[in-house]
């Protein structure tokens, strides 16, 4: 029987941050295993051989946070390429800023109507406000209600149906109501204080986080294949919690994506890094990677995302599906997990929560403080 002090399942952000803390702060040995053949989990990136452009294998990742502790922590392991993300959506055949802002308003409506709506928005809510369309709907003003309905149908509805595969009537009104109109010309997708990409890519940052002689990484290793032959003082499991328990209580569902990468023989294909397609095509968005790190090449590489329901062995688990039945099932797994003495579940799959990267890092840092 093999014996280790700390066993970490999953070499994604959750696993590597925990490993780094245990090794550098507690001076303990850590073994990280991952069933994939690379480190980094879903933030894994690599340089495409043909174009030399850095590509994110599991979909586009832009780091953004207001959490200074997380920003400072990761800054120990990477230099940053400062990058404010800008996203556009094609609606009625026109590219507009997302979130829908005053510039979007003027692009899609005739000038007289756009002016009227802008004046009403400014008067009712003031400049630089983000107003959810639910609030517009309740404004007792037929023009603003019209605008709310327009944004709901054109920006939100089609994209969400593609992404989540649900019928419009199944969409929770509270979710759709949160879609904002931004009374400003600010066209940044995120408003966080810190927005950037690791200068040399995520994989290089992860390598630096793992750079401690007390940390050992074993790839191509599934927990199932070793669980009966290994003993540990502590196990941190960043895989799926239902899988750990052999799906005893049932399977937690996920949405997944097929991501198709295409090399185009031109300098740039798109007007910006990300274009959303709420109305056209079967893919939700296309992402042109050379914008990310401002890389130069006479070719360009673009990814197209086709959403699917997750099927084991066929897809990756990408997005936990937040609804009451799934939460109840997850809570029952958590109750079982509490019976275990030296096992902690963590991360997007372990906690069955859609964490952005900063939330993932923060969760791992907080968990370390608790043990
Ligand atoms: C398409 C997409 C786009 C995203 N874009 C952004 C973005 O722009 N900005 C942002 O902040 N966040 C983004 N995120 C979120 C980000 O990917 C996560 O916050 C982060 O990667 C979570 O890290 P993790 O370690 O918890 O999970 P993961 O990265 O999933 O790592 C878990 C690892 O565990 C391994 N594993 C699982 N089970 C086992 C097992 N039984 N045995 C061995 N190994 C196992 C897996 O192979 C995997 O490598 C995005 C996520 C997706 C899916």
């Amino acid at each position: 029987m093999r014996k280790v002090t700390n066993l970490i399942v999953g070499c994604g952000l959750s696993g590597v941050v925990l490993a780094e803390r245990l090794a550098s702060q507690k001076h303990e040995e850590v073994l990280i295993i991952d069933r994939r053949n690379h480190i980094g989990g879903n933030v894994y990136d690599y340089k495409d051989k043909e174009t030399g452009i850095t590509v994110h294998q599991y979909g586009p990742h832009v780091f953004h946070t207001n959490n200074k502790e997380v920003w400072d922590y990761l800054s120990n392991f990477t230099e940053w390429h400062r990058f404010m993300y800008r996203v556009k959506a094609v609606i009625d055949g026109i590219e507009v800023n997302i979130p829908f802002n005053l510039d979007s308003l003027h692009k899609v409506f005739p000038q007289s109507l756009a002016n009227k709506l802008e004046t009403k928005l400014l008067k009712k809510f003031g400049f630089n406000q983000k107003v959810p369309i639910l609030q517009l709907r309740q404004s007792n003003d037929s023009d603003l209600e019209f605008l709310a309905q327009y944004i709901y149908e054109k920006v939100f509805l089609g994209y969400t149906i593609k992404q989540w595969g649900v019928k419009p009537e199944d969409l929770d009104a509270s979710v759709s109501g949160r879609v904002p109109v931004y009374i400003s010309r600010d066209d940044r997708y995120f408003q966080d204080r810190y927005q950037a990409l690791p200068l040399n890519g995520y994989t290089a940052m992860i390598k630096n986080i793992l750079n401690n002689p007390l940390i050992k990484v074993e790839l191509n290793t599934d927990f199932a294949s070793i669980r009966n032959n290994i003993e540990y003082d502590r196990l941190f499991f960043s895989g799926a919690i239902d899988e750990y328990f052999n799906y005893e209580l049932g399977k937690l569902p996920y949405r997944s994506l097929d991501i198709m990468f295409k090399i185009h023989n031109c300098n740039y294909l798109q007007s910006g890094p990300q274009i959303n397609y709420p109305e056209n095509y079967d893919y939700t968005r296309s992402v042109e990677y050379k914008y990310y790190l401002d890389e130069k090449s006479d070719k360009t590489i673009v990814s197209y995302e086709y959403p699917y329901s997750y099927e084991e062995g066929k897809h990756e688990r990408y997005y936990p599906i937040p609804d009451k039945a799934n939460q109840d099932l997850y809570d029952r797994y958590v109750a079982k997990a509490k019976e275990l003495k030296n096992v902690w579940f963590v991360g997007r799959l372990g906690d069955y929560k859609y964490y952005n990267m900063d939330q993932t890092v923060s969760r791992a840092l907080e968990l370390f403080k608790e043990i």
Side-chain angles (χ1 to χ4, degrees), residues 9-14 34-36 41-43 58 60-62 221-223 238-239 243 257 318-319 347-349 354-357 360:
V9 175
C11 198
L13 264 179
S14 303
D34 202 298
R35 57 159 66 122
R36 290 178 178 166
N42 284 352
V43 307
Y58 301 94
H61 280 74
V62 176
T221 306
D222 199 306
F223 178 61
S238 71
E243 188 181 324
L257 297 171
Y318 276 151
Y319 304 104
R348 226 171 30 91
L349 303 172
Y354 186 88
Y355 289 140
N356 280 320
M357 288 181 278
T360 299

Side-chain angles (χ1 to χ4, degrees), residues 235-275:
L235 167 65
F236 300 94
F237 192 85
S238 71
I241 188 167
D242 54 344
E243 188 181 324
Y244 176 90
F245 289 107
N246 293 318
Y247 310 109
E248 268 172 49
L249 306 172
K251 286 190 177 177
L252 286 164
Y254 287 86
R255 278 305 267 178
S256 188
L257 297 171
D258 260 0
I259 304 174
M260 196 189 85
F261 294 93
K262 194 160 189 257
I263 293 172
H264 296 270
N265 235 333
C266 56
N267 199 0
Y268 284 95
L269 187 76
Q270 304 186 161
S271 61
Q274 181 175 321
I275 314 281

Side-chain angles (χ1 to χ4, degrees), residues 99-168:
F100 198 94
N101 68 6
L102 292 180
D103 283 330
S104 316
L105 196 71
H106 284 275
K107 275 203 165 159
V108 294
F109 295 124
Q111 200 174 354
S112 55
L113 179 56
N115 286 343
K116 184 164 134 192
L117 290 168
E118 179 175 332
T119 307
K120 284 196 173 184
L121 285 170
L122 284 167
K123 190 156 175 235
K124 188 150 184 84
F125 301 105
F127 175 64
N128 215 10
Q129 300 300 313
K130 260 193 178 163
V131 183
I133 60 172
L134 196 61
Q135 217 173 319
L136 289 187
R137 280 209 187 117
Q138 294 162 348
S139 60
N140 285 331
D141 180 310
S142 59
D143 289 322
L144 295 182
E145 285 165 26
F146 156 78
L147 178 63
Q149 188 60 18
Y150 182 89
I151 296 172
Y152 171 75
E153 278 173 17
K154 299 287 180 180
V155 177
F156 175 76
L157 196 57
Y159 195 89
T160 306
I161 291 170
K162 272 196 227 175
Q163 178 78 2
W164 293 99
V166 288
K167 292 194 259 50

Side-chain angles (χ1 to χ4, degrees), residues 15-32:
V16 302
V17 169
L18 276 164
E20 188 282 327
R21 290 288 87 185
L22 288 161
S24 72
Q25 305 302 302
K26 283 191 184 286
H27 310 289
E28 290 183 2
E29 284 183 338
V30 183
L31 170 65
I32 309 190

